[in-house]
């Protein structure tokens, strides 16, 4: 069930390509959240679907982003073995400050899921949830974000880090309007 091809997930590592919205993305998230919750047990306070696949009706990289809230950031280190047991690789916590990143892929060539283990209600948690909620509640804002992403995806098709960096001003402006920095 977790690797159902109907989900349309998978993107070659370090590349950028957007997919049309897929009604199965929410089901893919739910299946994965259940597996993560079972694997991590009491370490988890809350699990949320974040990123563009969590915004209905917009194009997105076909990778499910998941926020896992834990009590303390250091609890992320205690999640490594359990996450590896369900098919995730630990990418570290030096890529994004205060964020333990885990990736799950297809045949080690692409990514289908990215999990961000962060402090529940900490800065990273609040930013991810606030940005998602702002786009979910304002279709014009969601469409503007989609338009930006379409242009950046063609410009940075082989440079995912540059694509992500180029979206930062838009995201920061939305968060400022939401009362976050």
């Amino acid at each position: 069930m977790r690797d159902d091809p109907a989900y349309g997930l998978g993107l070659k590592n370090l590349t950028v390509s957007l997919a049309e919205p897929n009604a199965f993305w929410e089901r893919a998230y739910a299946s994965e959240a259940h597996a993560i919750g079972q694997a991590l047990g009491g370490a988890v306070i809350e699990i949320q679907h974040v990123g563009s696949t969590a915004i209905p009706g917009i194009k997105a990289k076909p990778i499910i982003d998941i926020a896992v809230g834990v009590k303390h950031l250091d609890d992320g280190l205690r999640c490594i073995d359990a996450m590896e047991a369900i098919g995730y690789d630990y990418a570290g916590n030096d890529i994004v400050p205060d964020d333990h990143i885990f990736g799950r892929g297809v045949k080690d060539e692409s990514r289908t899921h990215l999990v961000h283990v962060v402090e529940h209600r900490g800065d990273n948690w609040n930013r991810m949830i606030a940005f998602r909620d702002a786009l979910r509640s304002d279709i014009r804002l969601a469409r503007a974000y989609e338009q930006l992403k379409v242009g950046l995806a063609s410009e940075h098709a082989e440079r995912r880090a540059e694509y992500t960096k180029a979206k930062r001003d838009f995201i920061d402006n939305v968060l400022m309007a939401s009362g976050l920095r």
Side-chain angles (χ1 to χ4, degrees):
M1 179 78 170
R2 288 174 59 213
D3 292 319
D4 188 331
Y7 295 157
L9 298 174
L11 184 59
K12 183 180 172 195
N13 287 333
L14 307 178
T15 66
V16 178
S17 177
L18 302 178
E20 292 296 324
N22 184 330
F24 290 112
W25 286 343
E26 188 60 34
R27 191 179 307 168
Y29 156 74
S31 176
E32 206 62 26
H34 177 75
I36 292 167
Q38 295 283 51
L40 299 182
V44 174
I45 296 172
E46 188 176 353
I47 301 175
Q48 289 282 325
H49 187 188
V50 295
S52 294
T53 60
I55 312 303
I58 70 167
K59 293 178 182 175
K61 293 188 318 290
I63 299 173
I64 302 294
D65 283 289
I66 299 172
V68 174
V70 295
K71 186 171 184 176
H72 302 287
L73 182 62
D74 289 343
D75 293 340
L77 295 172
R78 291 187 274 286
C79 296
I80 295 172
D81 290 342
M83 291 295 286
E84 286 178 348
I86 61 169
Y88 282 87
D89 298 316
Y90 181 57
N93 68 344
D94 57 347
I95 299 165
V96 177
D98 300 324
D99 187 336
H100 293 279
I101 298 177
F102 295 84
R104 185 162 181 268
V106 176
K107 300 177 189 164
D108 298 324
E109 295 173 4
S110 66
R111 286 284 179 228
T112 58
H113 299 77
L114 280 178
V115 173
H116 306 266
V117 177
V118 298
E119 189 172 305
H120 187 251
R121 308 271 185 205
D123 287 344
N124 286 351
W125 176 273
N126 292 339
R127 287 174 57 86
M128 285 186 278
I129 302 303
F131 185 70
R132 178 205 61 197
D133 290 352
L135 269 60
R136 280 181 172 176
S137 67
D138 184 341
I139 190 64
R140 289 181 308 198
L141 187 61
R143 291 282 178 233
Y145 185 56
E146 178 185 48
Q147 238 179 349
L148 171 67
K149 290 175 7 138
V150 167
L152 293 175
S154 64
E155 186 179 336
H156 301 292
E158 300 296 323
R159 299 182 319 271
R160 192 179 305 171
E162 292 299 318
Y163 166 85
T164 300
K165 183 178 176 183
K167 296 185 304 179
R168 190 170 296 143
D169 285 344
F170 184 96
I171 293 168
D172 287 346
N173 287 336
V174 169
L175 291 171
M176 260 199 308
S178 298
L180 294 174
R181 55 177 180 85

